[in-house]
Amino acid sequence: MANGNKIAVEEDFALDPENVILNPDDDWFIEYLKPYYVVTADGQYLFASTQAGRRPDRAFYMVPEGYRLGKGQRSFDREIGLRLYDVVLRYLQRCKVLVQEGIQGEPGYKTGLRIVFSLENPHTAYIAWMGRMMVYPPEEGMAVQCWNYIVPERLPDDVVAEIRTFWPDFDPDEPLTLYDLTRMDEDRRRVMSLRVDYFGGAFKKPNLTMVWNRGEADGLISYHAGCTSDRVLKGLSGTGKTTLTVGPELQQDDACLGKPHYGPDGRIEKVQLIGLEAASFAKSEGLTPSSPEWVGLMKSRQVGPDGKRPLVLAMNIDCEGVEYRLEEIAGHLVKVPRPIPGQKVGSLQCTRYEKSGTTNGRFIFQFSELNPNWGSGKEKWLKTESLSYKRFDVLEPIFRVVDPAMAVALDAGCESIITSALADQKPGTRVRSYAATDFMAREQSQQALLKLKIYRDLGLGLDGKLVFFIVN
């Protein structure tokens, strides 16, 4: 990564080493982020963000000539977008930054990531700490195919003025996520987020969008899904993927790829499951000790022989003896949890939402904390595919589908109920979206046709190799 006396991030973009924190460890984050978290009575590190959820309405795509986006995916003017990247990257060269590397994907299909965070607002480092838990660690000599630039603070006035010379309507206070997929044919993808301080909107979903897009281009299936060693449970956000997959057999709870293996006659003989994440970004709403996810949330209670606890990071969850405030720290207005004077910091309150102001509380725990066999390297092969299909008002609670065309039709017309994970839409709104993933950056029909071939080749009938069912 070093390039002379500079740190090379991508071609034609390098940083001064004096301004860079490179791949810091947990101890660095614990010390650096002290002004921004409280430690609960159960040992979780509790953070806050000003944005309570993702803003998919502010996501746009730059794509190659002739490339067709799918329904609901919005393109962005290529000339303006590339100039915007140039300006923001020059801004990052004068900032204190954190550079983080990692891998998304298991053996069988790995994608190298490099993420650059502006630390002009030090609070941004919480996103990097959560991100460190979510992806696999970097490998010596790994190739990087995807880049993510995260700048949550308001751009300085001189930078805004330069942007407005070619984009007069630029609003420096409005969140923006801009994907640059113009060089996907060279296996290069990047994304930039401005004014996004929510982990799911700045790190998790943008990275997955790029990795899924890469996998789809290489003939893989993108699954917005949880999985065990042979079962996939897919569905849109808020359909219960984590709740229904968490347990001792848990491999993934949100993001997978399916890699078809072809026989000499061109037929698909089997599908390898590839997990993309190392941890769960789980929703805390309504959790009680009887909830499957509770074990992951409370792993931090356990103290090992070395006196250390398993790492659990949490955000935007009500907590006994804690209130949330807006404070100016290091020249930036941030939302932070603070102990209530005269009260002792207690436990997280997952069924209370008055203090946090949102039901979209989140926490991160590593899959290995629930499944001792996680990460064993054993290959996973698809035998059962389930679609969480929230149309309980018109469909039976559970049924098996044996017709490949019907399975694709159901998959292509999935509905869900909007949850507080989306900050741009009212919770409770019913929406319809293609179930492969609601983070696609291509025509949905390409994945539908690949699934149809898989279902036909493997067979969904009683004598087939694959079971497909709907769960309501």
Side-chain angles (χ1 to χ4, degrees), residues 52-54 56 198 236-240 283 285 358-360 362 390 416-431:
R54 294 185 289 109
Y198 176 67
L236 304 178
S237 298
T239 52
K283 201 170 183 185
E285 181 183 6
T358 179
T359 57
N360 192 37
R362 296 280 180 160
K390 287 227 170 167
S416 182
I417 304 298
I418 288 293
T419 70
S420 53
L422 303 183
D424 65 316
Q425 299 185 55
K426 182 180 179 181
T429 304
R430 185 184 288 277
V431 294

Side-chain angles (χ1 to χ4, degrees), residues 117 123-131 150 152 196-199 202-203:
F117 306 81
H123 176 260
T124 301
Y126 98 87
I127 300 176
W129 196 12
M130 289 188 167
I150 299 173
V196 180
D197 85 331
Y198 176 67
F199 170 77
F203 188 102

Side-chain angles (χ1 to χ4, degrees), residues 294-313:
W294 190 260
V295 177
L297 179 63
M298 292 299 166
K299 268 289 178 179
S300 55
R301 284 178 173 173
Q302 301 176 7
V303 181
D306 59 357
K308 293 186 176 181
R309 301 170 182 258
L311 192 61
V312 177
L313 306 182

Side-chain angles (χ1 to χ4, degrees), residues 10 106 276 298 341 445 451 455:
E10 58 172 316
E106 301 171 295
L276 296 181
M298 292 299 166
S445 59
K451 289 182 181 180
Y455 299 155

Side-chain angles (χ1 to χ4, degrees), residues 239-456:
T239 52
K241 295 183 298 298
T242 299
T243 301
L244 295 172
T245 52
V246 163
E249 297 182 5
L250 173 68
Q251 290 289 335
Q252 296 285 317
D253 77 333
D254 192 57
C256 312
L257 285 167
K259 184 178 182 180
H261 286 243
Y262 293 82
D265 60 355
R267 292 174 62 86
I268 295 172
E269 296 182 340
K270 54 186 179 179
V271 176
Q272 182 182 358
L273 295 176
I274 297 170
L276 296 181
E277 297 181 306
S280 171
F281 184 54
K283 201 170 183 185
S284 64
E285 181 183 6
L287 295 191
T288 67
S290 63
S291 303
E293 302 95 324
W294 190 260
V295 177
L297 179 63
M298 292 299 166
K299 268 289 178 179
S300 55
R301 284 178 173 173
Q302 301 176 7
V303 181
D306 59 357
K308 293 186 176 181
R309 301 170 182 258
L311 192 61
V312 177
L313 306 182
M315 63 183 297
N316 299 337
I317 306 175
D318 279 34
C319 181
E320 297 168 336
V322 172
E323 62 184 358
Y324 287 91
R325 301 178 192 162
L326 286 174
E327 293 185 4
E328 185 172 314
I329 304 176
H332 296 271
L333 191 66
V334 294
K335 189 174 183 179
V336 289
R338 288 289 182 253
I340 298 174
Q343 297 186 28
K344 185 178 179 180
V345 174
S347 297
L348 296 174
Q349 299 172 295
C350 297
T351 58
R352 304 286 297 272
Y353 318 105
E354 295 87 356
K355 298 174 185 175
S356 62
T358 179
T359 57
N360 192 37
R362 296 280 180 160
F363 63 98
I364 295 179
F365 66 91
Q366 294 184 315
F367 295 132
S368 56
E369 299 292 352
L370 267 65
N371 180 358
N373 297 317
W374 186 88
S376 66
K378 185 178 178 181
E379 292 180 342
K380 300 181 286 292
W381 299 97
L382 180 65
K383 294 182 180 178
T384 305
E385 188 170 316
S386 174
L387 172 58
S388 184
Y389 199 84
K390 287 227 170 167
R391 299 199 63 184
F392 43 80
D393 52 344
V394 294
L395 289 176
E396 294 294 326
I398 188 169
F399 59 92
R400 182 173 176 178
V401 181
V402 297
D403 183 316
M406 181 57 71
V408 173
L410 289 166
D411 183 80
C414 186
E415 292 198 6
S416 182
I417 304 298
I418 288 293
T419 70
S420 53
L422 303 183
D424 65 316
Q425 299 185 55
K426 182 180 179 181
T429 304
R430 185 184 288 277
V431 294
R432 178 176 295 168
S433 180
Y434 183 58
T437 167
D438 36 343
F439 309 104
M440 293 186 74
R442 69 175 66 246
E443 288 185 298
Q444 291 93 336
S445 59
Q446 294 183 22
Q447 285 281 290
L449 291 170
L450 176 57
K451 289 182 181 180
L452 181 60
K453 177 173 175 55
I454 289 172
Y455 299 155
R456 283 174 171 168

